[in-house]
């Protein structure tokens, strides 16, 4: 695999300069785009993937960290979606076991009838999983509920039901896809944006890309182009066809990260129906607890979305209803926000104010009159199936040899996982200057892990290192800010930054980290108009 060390980046750009034509260009380096690049390269096609920011910098690093069939979709009667997602969950557990693992979730109940109903529903969920099931579900009495979730406020609760789904590191899995696609010959470039689509005689023939660091543009012909830009998919569709109608309806999901003492133990809490219809999760993650999520329609799609007015308070209030020692606003270590690329169809229909929590996470592969293949909607769990369908469509559009996808059984290169041996001080890597005491092992990278991120794993900035190669920004924004100067020194040395460049990059990251911290104390943002 070609890495992102400065010399490796030069080799990647040299390949780009020499690449005048490919079978397939993939635009977008999130879950779906990386999945498309891997699928096509593993079939033997020549592939260029370009990502304007970093791999998984958008929605794909801001999920609830679950690979799941979707219990609430089962309640909505979307059996096909649940069955497909459970099948894909099984593929991921086998193909990326270092990054995807079973997680037990506990659903509390107030009445025996409620507990029996949950048992029937979750039993059906397990039946749909078939051979990919994770061990069935179990009824819990009141004592069993307290043992599973000792931090739960159990007044009025008669027990619950425990079942298994899967948890993962979303940014880590995206990087595993990038490594594996690269190993199969795909040329992947982050911080490299599509400057223009090349349309000749009404057909899409290639792209012009702009590489951010060097400022150069490159024209590459392609037999087919896949639009895998997620929540920004409509914008690229309209660059191919200005008359294209919008198909996506973005929805915002806010997540809080708090210290683990509010929910001790290794099980997650799932409340399947909040008063507004949302699902509430409290999930152990990275030595912390993740609380989420909101589901708020919005008309815009910023690169760095902010919590809207009241969203943080709503999540804290929900936690207070269920926890004996609920987190206060000052105890929130980080707040991150993702935008879901929901299809506009479904109940709520795309009208402003409709209930986005009731819109399906199903996907669509569209081929425009110009030949642009767009992958729209979907979710992390089904990225592989979406990619397979999109590459099938691209083969047809481009007149490429029709080949079957091998990705259902293709092992992914998971590299060195966060928290593993050699990662952080606990694994023997020297701690960075500024590291606060008392953090969970593996939360912050050590010096060797930073160098590896730059040399082997495509990182090109402080944010790339501390937000996605390490998850420090998402787990504890203040801790990430504390080590940012030391990371800046390492990045500057590895990538040859000047002193002014180092200062500017550090200032930009510290401003970003302050926003992640400030979000836990302020909910002043208002919903966007439109």
């Amino acid at each position: 695999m070609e890495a992102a060390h400065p010399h490796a980046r030069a080799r990647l750009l040299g390949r780009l300069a020499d690449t005048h034509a490919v079978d397939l260009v993939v635009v977008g380096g999130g879950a779906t785009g990386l999945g498309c690049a891997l699928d096509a390269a593993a079939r033997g096609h020549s592939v260029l993937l370009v990502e304007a920011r970093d791999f998984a910098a958008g929605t794909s690093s801001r999920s609830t960290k679950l690979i799941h069939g979707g219990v609430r979709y089962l309640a909505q009667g979307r059996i096909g979606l649940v069955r497909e997602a459970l099948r894909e969950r099984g593929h991921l557990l086998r193909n990326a076991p270092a990054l995807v693992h079973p997680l037990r979730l506990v659903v509390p109940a107030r009445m025996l009838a409620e507990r029996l109903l949950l048992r029937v529903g979750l039993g059906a969920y397990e039946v749909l999983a078939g051979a990919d099931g994770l061990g069935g579900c179990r009824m819990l009495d009141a004592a069993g509920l307290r043992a599973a979730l000792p931090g739960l406020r159990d007044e009025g609760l008669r027990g619950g039901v425990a079942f298994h789904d899967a948890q993962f590191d979303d940014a880590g899995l995206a990087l595993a896809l990038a490594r594996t696609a690269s190993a199969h010959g795909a040329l992947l470039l982050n911080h490299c944006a599509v400057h223009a689509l090349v349309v000749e005689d009404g057909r899409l023939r290639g792209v012009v890309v702009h590489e951010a660091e060097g400022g150069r543009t490159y024209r590459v012909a392609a037999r087919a182009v896949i639009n895998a830009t997620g929540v920004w998919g409509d914008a690229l569709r309209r660059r191919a066809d200005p008359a294209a109608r919008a198909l996506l309806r973005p929805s915002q999901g806010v997540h809080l990260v708090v210290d683990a003492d509010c929910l001790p133990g290794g099980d997650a809490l799932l409340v399947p129906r909040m008063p507004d219809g949302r699902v509430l999760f409290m999930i152990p993650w990275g030595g912390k607890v993740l609380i989420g999520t909101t589901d708020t329609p919005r008309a815009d799609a910023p690169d760095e979305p902010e919590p809207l007015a009241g969203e943080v308070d709503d999540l804290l209030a929900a936690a207070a209803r269920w926890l004996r020692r609920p987190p206060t606003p000052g105890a929130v270590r980080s707040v991150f926000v993702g935008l879901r690329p929901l299809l506009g169809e479904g109940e709520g229909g795309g009208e402003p104010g409709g209930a986005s929590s009731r819109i399906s996470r199903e996907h669509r592969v569209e081929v425009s009159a110009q030949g642009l293949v767009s992958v729209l909607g979907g979710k992390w769990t089904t990225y592989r199936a979406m990619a397979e369908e999109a590459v099938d469509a691209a083969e047809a559009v481009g007149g490429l040899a029709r080949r079957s996808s091998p990705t259902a059984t293709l092992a992914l290169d998971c590299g060195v996982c966060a928290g593993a041996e050699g990662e952080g001080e606990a694994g023997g890597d020297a701690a960075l200057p500024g590291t606060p005491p008392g953090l969970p092992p593996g939360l912050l990278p050590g010096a060797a892990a930073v160098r590896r991120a730059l040399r082997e794993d495509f990182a090109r900035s402080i944010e790339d290192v501390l937000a996605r190669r390490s998850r420090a920004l998402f787990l504890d924004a203040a801790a990430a800010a504390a080590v940012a100067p030391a990371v800046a020194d390492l990045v500057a040395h590895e990538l040859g930054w000047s002193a002014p460049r180092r200062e500017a990059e550090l200032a930009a990251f510290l401003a970003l980290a302050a926003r992640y911290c400030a979000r836990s104390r302020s909910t002043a943002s208002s919903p966007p108009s439109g």
Side-chain angles (χ1 to χ4, degrees):
M1 185 192 79
E2 290 177 285
H5 190 262
H7 301 302
R9 180 73 173 190
R11 287 196 298 272
L12 292 174
L13 293 176
R15 278 186 63 190
L16 179 60
D18 293 338
T19 301
H20 303 295
V22 293
D23 293 329
L24 184 62
V25 169
V26 179
V27 185
T32 306
L34 291 165
C36 288
L38 172 56
D39 190 288
R43 298 188 197 199
H45 300 307
S46 58
V47 179
L48 167 66
L49 179 145
V50 291
E51 161 57 45
R53 299 168 67 198
D54 185 26
F55 302 130
T59 302
S60 294
S61 63
R62 301 159 188 259
S63 75
T64 311
K65 321 306 174 196
L66 292 176
I67 295 293
H68 63 117
V71 172
R72 70 185 179 90
Y73 308 136
L74 182 62
Q76 294 170 7
R78 294 185 168 108
I79 304 299
L81 176 65
V82 175
R83 183 183 288 114
E84 177 188 51
L86 289 171
R87 181 177 63 248
E88 293 302 319
R89 184 188 71 179
H91 292 323
L92 274 168
L93 285 162
R94 289 185 289 274
N95 295 339
L99 293 170
V100 185
H101 57 87
L103 173 71
R104 194 169 87 145
L105 294 94
V106 177
V107 186
R110 298 193 180 280
M111 296 179 291
L112 177 60
E114 183 184 5
R115 191 158 36 125
L116 292 172
L117 187 61
L118 285 167
R119 176 65 181 83
V120 171
L122 291 170
Y125 187 69
E126 187 67 19
V127 168
L128 284 173
D132 291 317
L134 295 176
C137 58
R138 176 186 172 194
M139 295 272 283
L140 301 175
D141 59 16
L145 181 65
R146 285 193 296 272
L149 297 173
L152 191 67
R153 289 182 59 182
D154 58 356
E155 296 86 350
L157 297 176
R158 300 289 298 276
V161 177
F163 72 104
H164 287 84
D165 245 318
Q167 185 176 28
F168 78 130
D169 174 8
D170 47 14
L173 185 56
L175 188 58
L177 291 171
R179 290 193 201 98
T180 313
S182 180
H184 280 79
L187 173 57
L188 288 79
L189 282 161
N190 53 353
H191 303 283
C192 188
V194 167
H195 180 70
L197 298 177
V198 179
V199 179
E200 298 173 349
D201 299 324
R203 297 293 293 178
L204 183 56
R205 303 298 184 187
V207 296
V208 177
V209 300
H210 177 79
E211 196 271 328
E213 293 180 35
R216 290 187 58 187
T217 58
Y218 305 81
R219 179 170 173 148
V220 179
R223 304 275 291 276
V225 177
I226 292 180
N227 170 15
T229 54
V231 76
W232 299 279
D234 280 337
L236 191 61
R237 290 174 61 244
R238 285 170 173 158
R239 290 170 72 176
D241 178 8
R245 67 184 183 93
L247 294 177
L248 293 172
R249 182 183 173 203
S251 170
Q252 174 157 296
V254 177
H255 300 79
L256 313 183
V257 178
V258 301
D259 289 336
D261 56 2
C262 72
L263 189 68
D267 290 341
L269 168 67
L270 166 61
V271 180
R273 182 170 290 278
M274 298 291 287
D276 61 1
R278 287 185 293 115
V279 176
L280 176 68
F281 292 100
M282 299 187 204
I283 300 172
W285 178 54
K288 303 285 186 178
V289 167
L290 178 68
I291 301 174
T293 179
T294 61
D295 207 332
T296 310
R298 61 182 302 161
D300 61 345
D303 286 346
E304 189 60 54
E306 297 272 2
L308 304 178
E311 286 188 305
V312 171
D313 292 338
D314 286 349
L315 287 174
L316 289 172
R321 287 194 292 271
W322 289 96
L323 299 180
R324 291 188 181 279
R325 297 175 55 195
T328 64
V332 177
R333 302 304 176 195
S334 189
V335 180
F336 64 90
V337 184
L339 299 177
R340 304 177 186 90
L342 305 183
L343 290 172
E345 290 79 11
E347 188 164 341
E351 294 298 322
S356 62
S357 63
R358 296 189 58 83
I359 298 178
S360 170
R361 270 45 169 180
E362 291 170 311
H363 70 275
R364 172 188 298 180
V365 174
E366 176 204 64
V367 179
S368 75
Q370 298 77 23
L372 178 65
V373 178
S374 294
V375 194
L376 306 165
K379 60 178 184 174
W380 241 119
T381 303
T382 54
Y383 86 89
R384 192 209 63 82
M386 294 161 60
E388 180 177 345
E389 185 179 343
V391 175
D392 285 346
E395 286 181 336
V397 166
L400 300 170
R402 304 300 293 270
R403 297 166 180 162
S404 60
S405 170
T407 57
T409 57
L410 181 62
L412 302 181
D413 180 358
C414 297
V416 177
C417 304
E421 177 117 15
E423 187 76 26
E425 187 177 12
D429 190 0
L432 295 171
T435 298
L439 296 176
L443 188 149
L444 292 176
V450 174
R451 294 188 185 97
R452 181 170 59 249
L454 297 163
R455 296 176 181 180
E456 302 176 16
D457 286 336
F458 303 97
R460 304 298 297 173
S461 71
I462 303 167
E463 181 189 341
D464 291 356
V465 171
L466 288 175
R468 289 169 292 277
R469 305 313 180 276
S470 154
R471 305 316 310 275
L473 180 65
F474 286 73
L475 287 163
D476 191 325
V483 299
V487 172
D489 289 340
L490 291 167
V491 177
H493 177 75
E494 291 287 321
L495 303 188
W497 287 354
S498 65
R501 170 84 183 271
R502 177 202 175 275
E503 291 304 311
E505 295 276 350
L506 176 59
F509 178 79
L510 292 176
L512 178 64
R515 291 168 64 190
Y516 276 60
C517 293
R519 291 170 182 172
S520 67
R521 298 188 293 274
S522 172
T523 57
S525 298
S526 298
S529 60

